[in-house]
């Protein structure tokens, strides 16, 4: 029971991260399961089976809020399913001893990518045109394969690539990627079922991850308003890098002062990335505040009253008598000014 509670907390934490970043549910869950001693193939299989439920709930929510571009979903989900199925078959065919360094290397790389990605602002390329299949199909294939073999990676690979393209709204990028992940997770689960059999899925682990994820889903929607994604992404990236570095060091049988030196360098890089993320967040907030102030001052200037005839200080021609306030000439002049 204690282990199931821990796994439920793992699923809850992973969903909180995913809800705040739009990615990293699989990365966080797989990393924590590997640290807990779960075999790589079983960890990835269990995470993907749990993701069928969490991504279905996320996809329905995004659909109801209008965050899904179904053309993009169709063009990226099917290649992603093919890649995920191939990756699951590949991971199921290699031994646990060989799979652990492979999976740790993928997770380490993706964690380092998160560090770099969130330590600086994402600059979108405002290219014209729509996303085409020749871009989406290879992206889905690669992201699906990495997702299955690494225990996660669909969001970290697909989401930034679509954001950088500049051809979709950020909310539709996250909604479309999350919705298509339901198909990817299902294909990966089928691949693991063929490669490992039903015993390859740790059903109590799947249930605990799923329960934790479903509990965290509404909390994540609230959390994203409080915790800046820029900083959270850098923090989670560092955790993933350090935890998987331990597996890689053990696989390389590196002893003596080498592990301490590696951890020190990675820790220093992590600290630098967090500092850069905070600076980028502050710059973005200042720029947003400046833009909002400019937008707020524009309507005020547009609504300012036009100067009256008395305050215009226009020269009065000599020899023309000033019209009386009650005269018809005064009324005609006033009508002319108002017109």
């Amino acid at each position: 029971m204690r282990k199931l509670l821990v796994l439920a907390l793992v699923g809850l934490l992973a969903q909180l991260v995913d809800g705040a970043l739009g990615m990293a549910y699989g990365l966080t869950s797989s990393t924590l399961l590997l640290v807990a001693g779960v075999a790589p193939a079983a960890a990835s299989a269990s995470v993907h089976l749990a993701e069928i439920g969490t991504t279905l709930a996320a996809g329905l929510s995004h659909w109801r809020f209008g965050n899904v571009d179904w053309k993009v979903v169709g063009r990226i989900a099917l290649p992603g399913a093919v890649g995920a199925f191939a990756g699951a078959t590949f991971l199921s065919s290699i031994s646990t001893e060989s799979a652990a360094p492979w999976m740790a290397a993928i997770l380490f790389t993706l964690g380092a990518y998160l560090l770099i990605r969130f330590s600086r602002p994402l600059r979108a390329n405002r290219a014209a045109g729509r996303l085409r299949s020749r871009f989406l199909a290879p992206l889905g294939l690669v992201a699906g394969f990495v997702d299955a073999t690494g225990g996660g990676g669909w969001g970290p690979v697909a989401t930034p690539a679509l954001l950088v393209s500049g051809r979709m709204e950020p909310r539709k990028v996250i909604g479309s990627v999350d919705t298509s992940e339901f198909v990817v997770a299902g294909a990966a689960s089928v691949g693991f079922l063929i490669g490992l059999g039903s015993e390859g899925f740790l059903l109590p682990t799947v249930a605990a991850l799923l329960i934790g994820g479903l509990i965290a889903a509404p909390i994540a929607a609230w959390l994203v308003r409080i915790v800046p994604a820029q900083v959270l992404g850098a923090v989670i990236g560092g955790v993933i890098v350090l935890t998987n570095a331990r597996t890689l060091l053990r696989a390389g049988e590196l002893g003596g002062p080498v592990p301490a030196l590696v951890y020190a360098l990675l820790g220093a890089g992590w600290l630098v990335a967090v500092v850069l993320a905070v600076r980028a967040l502050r710059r973005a907030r200042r720029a947003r505040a400046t833009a909002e102030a400019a937008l707020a001052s524009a309507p005020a200037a547009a609504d300012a009253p036009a100067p009256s005839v008395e305050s215009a200080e226009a020269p009065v021609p000599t020899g023309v008598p000033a019209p009386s306030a009650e005269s018809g000439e005064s009324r005609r002049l006033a009508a002319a000014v108002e017109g």
Side-chain angles (χ1 to χ4, degrees):
M1 180 59 66
R2 181 181 300 176
K3 184 176 181 180
L4 291 178
L5 289 176
V6 171
L7 292 174
L9 290 176
V10 168
L12 189 145
L13 175 62
Q15 185 60 43
L16 288 178
V17 173
D18 190 81
L21 300 180
M23 63 182 77
Y25 177 87
L27 287 181
T28 307
S29 299
S30 298
T31 297
L32 296 177
L33 288 179
L34 289 177
V35 171
V38 178
S44 184
S46 301
V47 167
H48 281 91
L49 188 58
E51 277 186 321
I52 293 179
T54 58
T55 54
L56 177 60
L60 290 175
S61 300
H62 284 300
W63 168 65
R64 293 194 62 181
F65 284 106
N67 297 336
V68 180
D69 187 330
W70 290 106
K71 292 183 179 179
V72 172
V73 171
R75 292 173 180 175
I76 198 174
L78 296 180
V82 173
F85 181 83
T89 305
F90 171 78
L91 187 63
S92 301
S93 63
I94 59 179
S95 64
T96 300
E97 291 76 14
S98 302
W102 167 270
M103 193 170 178
I106 293 177
L107 291 171
F108 180 91
T109 303
L110 292 174
Y113 176 77
L114 288 180
L115 277 177
I116 298 172
R117 158 69 177 82
F118 288 99
S119 64
R120 58 187 178 85
L122 182 66
R123 304 190 181 280
N125 177 22
R126 300 297 178 187
R130 58 182 180 178
L131 293 166
R132 300 186 179 274
S133 298
R134 61 188 178 188
F135 169 73
L136 294 174
L139 175 63
L141 190 67
V142 173
F145 185 85
V146 171
D147 185 72
T149 54
W154 176 255
V157 174
T159 299
L162 294 178
L163 286 174
V164 169
S165 71
R167 302 180 185 184
M168 290 181 66
E169 299 177 61
R171 66 182 183 90
K172 288 203 170 185
V173 168
I174 295 175
S176 301
V177 170
D178 281 356
T179 303
S180 58
E181 192 173 7
F182 170 73
V183 180
V184 174
S189 298
V190 172
F192 283 118
L193 180 62
I194 295 174
L196 299 175
S198 59
E199 65 274 6
F201 297 96
L202 305 177
L203 294 182
T205 299
V206 173
L209 291 174
L210 180 59
I211 291 172
L214 293 178
I215 292 174
I219 302 175
W222 169 78
L223 183 67
V224 70
R225 299 183 179 184
I226 300 177
V227 180
Q230 185 92 44
V231 178
L232 183 61
V235 171
I236 295 301
V239 172
I240 293 172
V241 165
L242 287 176
T243 51
N244 288 282
R246 185 184 67 169
T247 303
L248 293 175
L249 289 172
R250 288 180 177 178
E253 298 181 354
L254 299 175
V258 175
L261 179 61
V262 171
Y263 286 135
L265 292 175
L266 293 177
W270 186 13
L271 179 61
V272 170
V274 172
V275 171
L276 291 176
V278 172
R279 292 179 58 184
L281 176 65
R282 289 178 176 176
R283 287 197 301 268
R285 286 180 172 176
R286 285 197 298 266
R288 185 165 56 250
T290 303
E292 290 176 353
L295 289 175
S297 62
D303 295 338
S308 63
V309 177
E310 291 79 10
S311 63
E313 298 183 359
V316 179
T318 58
V320 178
S324 171
E326 299 297 327
S327 66
E329 184 69 20
S330 174
R331 287 193 295 269
R332 284 195 295 271
L333 284 175
V337 171
E338 291 174 358

